[in-house]
Amino acid sequence: MSGEVMIESGGELRRRLRQQQLISAFGREALRGPDLETLLNEAARVAAEGLGTTLSKVLQHIAGEGALLIVAGVGWRDGVVGVIKFGTDLASPAGFALRTGAPVISNHLGGEGRFRTPQIMVEHGVRRAVNVLIRGEAGAPPFGVLEVDSQDEEEEFSDSDVDFLQALANVMGLAIDRERDRRDRDLLTREAHHRVKNSLQIAQTLLRLQLREVEDPEARLQLEQAARRIMTIGAVHERLFSGPAIGQVSVGTYLRGLIEDLRNSLGVGDSERPLELELTEASEAEVWDGDRVTTLGLVVTELVTNAFKYGRDGVVVRLDIGGLDGAGTLAVEDGGEGPPKDYDKVKGRGLGMRILSTLLRGGGLVAQWPPGERFRFVATLAPPQIPTPGQ
């Protein structure tokens, strides 16, 4: 007799240790910051595994509808997750947990007098269920309810099972709060960049309006170039959300947009004076921070403008980034006869070239001016600088 008790106790201990391992692993995963959908699906999987069942679900409180929507789960037929809603009244097990904050254990749903059994659970042969509240910060409305269901009537959910499930739900609540905070910050950041972009557009418009009043060719040229530089910076703010995170920019997406903007502002792009962009596959996949992309864009703008100033047969911009470190080469080349013989003097004296030299020094680009008839510029892109701890 005592031997049987020892076996049962040993099995129970192993189950509790496994539950602790699952919570620990889930906590580490939550710290990595997965998207909300991934987080909720993983929580549903862990909940079912921890209680030895094949059915679990995460229900989100939709306050405006007075309902709990199944937003994640395991073991359910198609058409359940994201579709089925439960009531939030006290006759609903999940609703009771939501309204009272108390966990709900129902080990005999068929004979349960306190609650009704939702039809979807009847369809899946659910015999028992346990619900806990998914809380967040103190004072914040709860996210919803975490529920585990079982088709097995021989065993029962225990208070220890509730402890495991509530611990899991608490980790979920903290991760959801962090995701909510991140989304709020993202909205503020987007709004800030939107305002900056609008301000730059206004500045560009004012410069172009001023162009109408200026007759001196050199002054017009300077104003046009200033407007293009503002356009280049504005394009970064417009595309700061094309990468996987706020402030990260897809290099390919940005350069394609920039080249199109330059075609319009320079009045080029036809068959006689084409402006082409060539990107390697690795370059298409690159994602850079906003500062580095701004430098790249300004360099390209200065070079393309200069190339069209002297070139006759169009310009090709090539970006070739090799490997995963962000290093590579940028080449801008025209198909004409190249700059005048005294180009070196012009290069040293012009504002555009002085700006270019400053950008190259600050942007990790090493310039080369290969000899030949064509206007050809090649820059070596250094890998991005990664701050060391403490910087």
Side-chain angles (χ1 to χ4, degrees):
M1 185 72 175
S2 60
E4 293 178 358
V5 173
M6 289 294 292
I7 292 173
E8 290 177 1
S9 298
E12 182 72 10
L13 178 60
R14 285 192 294 273
R15 180 174 179 176
R16 301 308 165 203
L17 287 174
R18 178 56 182 157
Q19 290 176 348
Q20 292 300 316
Q21 291 172 348
L22 288 170
I23 291 174
S24 177
F26 179 77
R28 289 195 299 272
E29 180 64 24
L31 285 174
R32 294 192 182 101
D35 61 84
L36 186 58
E37 181 181 359
T38 300
L39 177 78
L40 298 181
N41 283 318
E42 178 63 10
R45 186 196 68 78
V46 169
E49 181 179 344
L51 295 190
T53 73
T54 58
L55 291 167
S56 69
K57 53 183 175 285
V58 179
L59 300 107
Q60 182 177 0
H61 182 214
I62 312 299
E65 301 180 16
L68 285 159
L69 172 67
I70 301 177
V71 292
V74 295
W76 306 98
R77 63 168 172 79
D78 292 341
V80 171
V81 176
V83 177
I84 300 298
K85 298 175 182 177
F86 291 174
T88 58
D89 57 284
L90 295 177
S92 161
F96 187 93
L98 178 71
R99 286 182 173 272
T100 66
V104 176
I105 297 178
S106 183
N107 283 313
H108 305 284
L109 283 174
E112 182 64 73
R114 297 176 299 167
F115 310 114
R116 64 177 179 274
T117 303
Q119 183 59 34
I120 191 65
M121 294 170 69
V122 174
E123 290 177 14
H124 284 77
V126 175
R127 298 289 185 268
R128 48 194 182 96
V130 54
N131 297 264
V132 296
L133 186 67
I134 303 174
R135 295 182 177 88
E137 294 179 349
F143 176 82
V145 173
L146 176 61
E147 179 176 319
V148 173
D149 305 303
S150 176
Q151 299 162 323
D152 182 10
E153 248 184 341
E154 295 182 4
E155 294 187 14
E156 293 188 349
F157 291 125
S158 67
D159 291 339
S160 296
D161 292 328
V162 170
D163 292 340
F164 160 73
L165 206 61
Q166 189 63 71
L168 180 61
N170 291 344
V171 176
M172 289 176 64
L174 293 173
I176 291 168
D177 279 343
R178 187 175 66 177
E179 176 67 12
R180 284 171 171 167
D181 291 342
R182 185 190 66 78
R183 288 183 178 181
D184 290 343
R185 289 195 300 271
D186 287 355
L187 286 173
L188 291 173
T189 302
R190 286 177 185 272
E191 178 62 22
H193 284 295
H194 181 71
R195 289 172 183 251
V196 170
K197 183 194 74 172
N198 287 345
S199 297
L200 291 170
Q201 285 179 337
I202 292 171
Q204 184 184 6
T205 301
L206 291 174
L207 285 174
R208 296 202 177 280
L209 287 173
Q210 190 175 357
L211 271 169
R212 299 178 183 177
E213 308 298 325
V214 175
E215 296 182 359
D216 181 70
E218 183 61 28
R220 288 183 61 85
L221 177 62
Q222 294 301 325
L223 287 173
E224 287 173 353
Q225 290 178 336
R228 277 193 288 272
R229 289 164 189 144
I230 291 174
M231 173 200 71
T232 301
I233 299 172
V236 174
H237 287 276
E238 184 177 4
R239 298 180 176 95
L240 269 175
F241 312 102
S242 63
I246 294 294
Q248 298 293 300
V249 182
S250 167
V251 173
T253 299
Y254 171 70
L255 281 181
R256 277 191 294 273
L258 177 62
I259 292 300
E260 187 59 36
D261 291 340
L262 287 171
R263 287 192 186 110
N264 294 331
S265 68
L266 291 168
V268 299
D270 55 22
S271 58
E272 294 184 2
R273 301 187 78 200
L275 172 57
E276 303 297 335
L277 174 66
E278 296 180 4
L279 298 174
T280 61
E281 185 175 347
S283 303
E284 287 277 7
E286 280 292 305
V287 175
W288 291 358
D289 64 79
D291 289 342
R292 195 164 189 244
V293 170
T294 300
T295 299
L296 177 67
L298 288 169
V299 168
V300 169
T301 298
E302 296 298 329
L303 291 171
V304 168
T305 301
N306 258 331
F308 272 111
K309 184 176 180 180
Y310 300 109
R312 297 177 181 175
D313 298 326
V315 174
V316 176
V317 177
R318 297 186 183 90
L319 184 63
D320 183 359
I321 299 174
L324 300 176
D325 60 358
T329 58
L330 167 69
V332 178
E333 181 177 1
D334 83 335
E337 296 180 358
K341 294 180 180 179
D342 64 343
Y343 185 73
D344 285 344
K345 296 178 182 178
V346 175
K347 179 180 66 175
R349 190 171 63 241
L351 175 61
M353 289 300 102
R354 293 204 303 273
I355 291 175
L356 182 60
S357 297
T358 301
L359 292 170
L360 292 173
R361 287 196 300 270
L365 292 92
V366 180
Q368 302 173 30
W369 302 87
E373 293 184 350
R374 295 185 177 188
F375 177 100
R376 187 162 188 264
F377 169 91
V378 179
T380 302
L381 281 66
Q385 297 297 312
I386 302 174
T388 57
Q391 285 188 326

